[in-house]
Amino acid sequence: MLEALLWGAIASSSLVLGAWLATLRRWSDAVVGMVLAFGAGALIAGVSFELAEAGVTEGGPVAVGVGLAAGALAYFFADRAVEQRSGRGGGGASGVPLAVGALLDGVPEQAVLGIGLATGDGVSLALLVAVFVSNLPESVGSSADMLGDGRSRRFVLLLWIGVAAVCTLAAVAGRAIAEVASPTLTGVVDGFAAGALLVMLVDAMISEARAKGGQVAGLATVVGFAAAAALSLLA
């Protein structure tokens, strides 16, 4: 359990680090856009190599498909609830939706890390690094948006500390339930994370990266994808 707690804390620590960096100074829209674009590319690689592909191998396409639908719907309705509560309409700021997305995809991602430890496969270094690297720009971009919308530094830091704590506990929970986790359930968990990520990427992260980073956001996305994909393939 302590091992799962340690790796879970390492993976989620970049969420708090990103929020802290965002509070140190005001980052330009161009920088935030590039950071978001790089993170989006890394997340796309994570979905492809560490979640969807691994989920199909472990639990089969049906399990991953069920998880994809559940994760996509969970993020969609959670985002709509946040939108209604905050009064955000249309494009709006992407800060809070990105935080919601980080929670919805972070929990199953961390659970997968914990399950891997329990089954003797060890922690996936590629997934660990991809989660850490992609969490950082996601947190920086989200925090910068929330600060720009008038949220206090205290609110932003506490929000991300809370998200990181929940994600860390998810790794411990994954380790605990691994005794009864079937390959099918693992495939569903992988699919859930992938579905939530994909909806969040299109609804918030990629659109915000393009709006703030301009035309070069696409290039930064490719760099992020290549970096994360290389880690997956090397592992």
Side-chain angles (χ1 to χ4, degrees):
M1 289 297 177
L2 289 177
E3 186 181 13
L5 183 65
L6 173 63
W7 288 116
I10 291 174
S12 61
S13 64
S14 57
L15 293 170
V16 180
L17 176 60
W20 177 71
L21 289 174
T23 63
L24 290 180
R25 51 165 291 182
R26 181 176 178 82
W27 300 91
S28 68
D29 283 350
V31 171
V32 172
M34 291 300 96
V35 168
L36 284 172
F38 182 91
L43 286 175
I44 292 170
V47 169
S48 302
F49 297 104
E50 297 296 335
L51 294 175
E53 182 181 18
V56 170
T57 301
E58 186 72 20
V62 174
V64 174
V66 170
L68 277 168
L73 290 172
Y75 177 82
F76 178 83
F77 287 113
D79 184 39
R80 299 291 87 75
V82 170
E83 181 177 308
Q84 292 176 1
R85 184 178 180 84
S86 64
R88 179 174 56 86
S94 68
V96 175
L98 280 174
V100 173
L103 181 63
L104 286 175
D105 66 69
V107 168
E109 279 177 349
Q110 299 276 45
V112 170
L113 288 176
I115 291 172
L117 289 170
T119 56
D121 295 333
V123 66
S124 169
L125 180 61
L127 180 59
L128 179 68
V129 175
V131 170
F132 185 93
V133 170
S134 61
N135 278 346
L136 187 61
E138 193 174 359
S139 176
V140 170
S142 172
S143 299
D145 275 347
M146 286 188 281
L147 291 169
D149 287 340
R151 298 285 191 179
S152 69
R153 294 183 178 183
R154 182 173 182 271
F155 172 86
V156 171
L157 288 173
L158 287 178
L159 173 63
W160 284 108
I161 288 173
V163 171
V166 173
C167 290
T168 299
L169 291 176
V172 178
R175 173 68 176 81
I177 66 174
E179 298 283 337
V180 295
S182 65
T184 299
L185 177 59
T186 302
V188 171
V189 171
D190 284 338
F192 186 96
L197 271 170
L198 288 172
V199 178
M200 182 275 292
L201 282 166
V202 174
D203 278 3
M205 200 167 184
I206 292 176
S207 59
E208 192 78 1
R210 180 64 175 81
K212 291 186 173 181
Q215 294 181 343
V216 294
L219 296 176
T221 302
V222 173
V223 173
F225 178 90
L231 287 171
S232 297
L233 295 175
L234 289 174

